[in-house]
Amino acid sequence: MKFIRFFLIFHRPLIRALLIFGLVIPLEAETYFVDKNNTRASDSSTGTRENPWYSIQHSLNQLQPGDTVFVREGIYTNPLRMSSSGLNDQAIVIQVFPGDEVIIDGTGSTREKFIDWKGSASNGVNKNHIVFDGFIVRNVPRWAIWIEGDHNVIQNCIIYNCGVSTKGVGILIRQGNRNIIRRNEVSNCGWNGINAENSSYTLIEYNVSRDNVLHFGINIFPNTSDAQVMQT
C-alpha cells in the first residue's frame, strides 16, 4: 500500500493520461494553498499551507479530481484558464480561504475571457465539475467568467467593472448543462450581469445583478434549450 500511495502522489500527470484513455484510477484528494504574500510562496514549492504556491494559474495546472485549493488574501492580476475537469463525485474546488478577501483584478489585461473554461466553442475541451467560490473579480476587458462545460458552480462572488465599453458580462455560460450560478453580486458590466445561452437545466439562484450599462439583469437567450430555473 505504501508503494501505491507513493505512485499516486508522484505520478499524477501519468494518471491524468490514463484517465483520458478511460482507465479510471481513483486519486487521493489533496488540499493545496496559494498565498502570494507568504515569503515562502513559490510555484516550485509543494503547495502546502507552510510552503504555498504563488500563482492561482499554477494551482489550476496541478489540480486533479477531488482536489481543493484555498487562495489566501491578496490582489492577483493574471487571467485564469481552467486546465482539468473534476468528476461526478470528485469536483475540483477553487475557493477563497475563509475570512480572507481575494481580488482578481484585470486592470491592463487584454484577455477578453478573463477566467476561462475554454470549452469546445473556444477550440478547447469543456471543463466540468469545477466549483469557483468566494472571489472578487473586477476591471476585466470584457467577460469576467466564461463557462463552457457541465456541472460547474460559481458562487459567493462579487464581480464588477466588466467590459463597460465592450458589452461585457460578469458570468456567461456559453454552453453546458446543469451549471449553478448562486449567491453572486454582479454590477457595472457593459451588457448583462449574467447570461446563459446554449445551455440546459441551468440553476440561477439568489444573485444580485444591478447597474449594468445596456441590460441590467439576467438574460437567458432564446437558443437555450430545455429547463432553466431562476430564483432571485
Side-chain angles (χ1 to χ4, degrees), residues 62-202:
Q62 313 307 313
L63 296 177
Q64 298 294 316
D67 288 350
T68 295
V69 60
F70 285 108
V71 182
R72 298 302 309 262
E73 182 106 12
I75 299 175
Y76 297 78
T77 57
N78 292 323
L80 303 176
R81 180 168 287 162
M82 302 301 164
S83 297
S84 300
S85 291
L87 298 173
N88 185 46
D89 58 348
Q90 292 180 293
I92 289 173
V93 179
I94 306 148
Q95 183 175 346
V96 170
F97 189 81
D100 283 3
E101 181 179 87
V102 175
I103 298 172
I104 301 175
D105 191 299
T107 301
S109 175
T110 59
R111 177 79 68 81
E112 286 196 331
K113 302 172 186 175
F114 200 74
I115 300 174
D116 185 8
W117 262 239
K118 192 170 174 56
S120 55
S122 304
N123 194 31
V125 177
N126 285 11
K127 306 303 187 303
N128 311 310
H129 299 285
I130 297 172
V131 178
F132 189 80
D133 188 354
F135 292 85
I136 298 172
V137 185
R138 70 185 188 189
N139 304 331
V140 303
R142 193 165 187 184
W143 299 293
I145 299 176
W146 177 285
I147 301 166
E148 296 178 60
D150 305 330
H151 300 281
N152 299 291
V153 180
I154 310 297
Q155 62 186 17
N156 304 316
C157 293
I158 298 172
I159 302 167
Y160 62 94
N161 294 352
C162 308
V164 174
S165 61
T166 57
K167 297 183 178 180
V169 175
I171 302 171
L172 189 146
I173 303 174
R174 180 62 180 85
Q175 57 176 234
N177 300 310
R178 302 186 185 281
N179 293 294
I180 298 174
I181 310 299
R182 172 189 292 141
R183 294 191 301 270
N184 304 285
E185 181 175 343
V186 186
S187 62
N188 201 36
C189 296
W191 193 250
N192 296 297
I194 300 170
N195 277 4
E197 54 183 281
N198 297 310
S199 54
S200 299
Y201 301 100
T202 304

Side-chain angles (χ1 to χ4, degrees), residues 209-222:
S209 180
R210 61 178 177 82
D211 301 324
N212 298 298
V213 176
L214 294 178
H215 294 182
F216 287 116
I218 297 169
N219 199 1
I220 299 175
F221 277 79

Side-chain angles (χ1 to χ4, degrees), residues 15-29:
I15 293 170
R16 179 189 294 184
L18 293 175
L19 287 171
I20 292 173
F21 288 101
L23 300 176
V24 179
I25 299 176
L27 298 178
E28 182 177 340

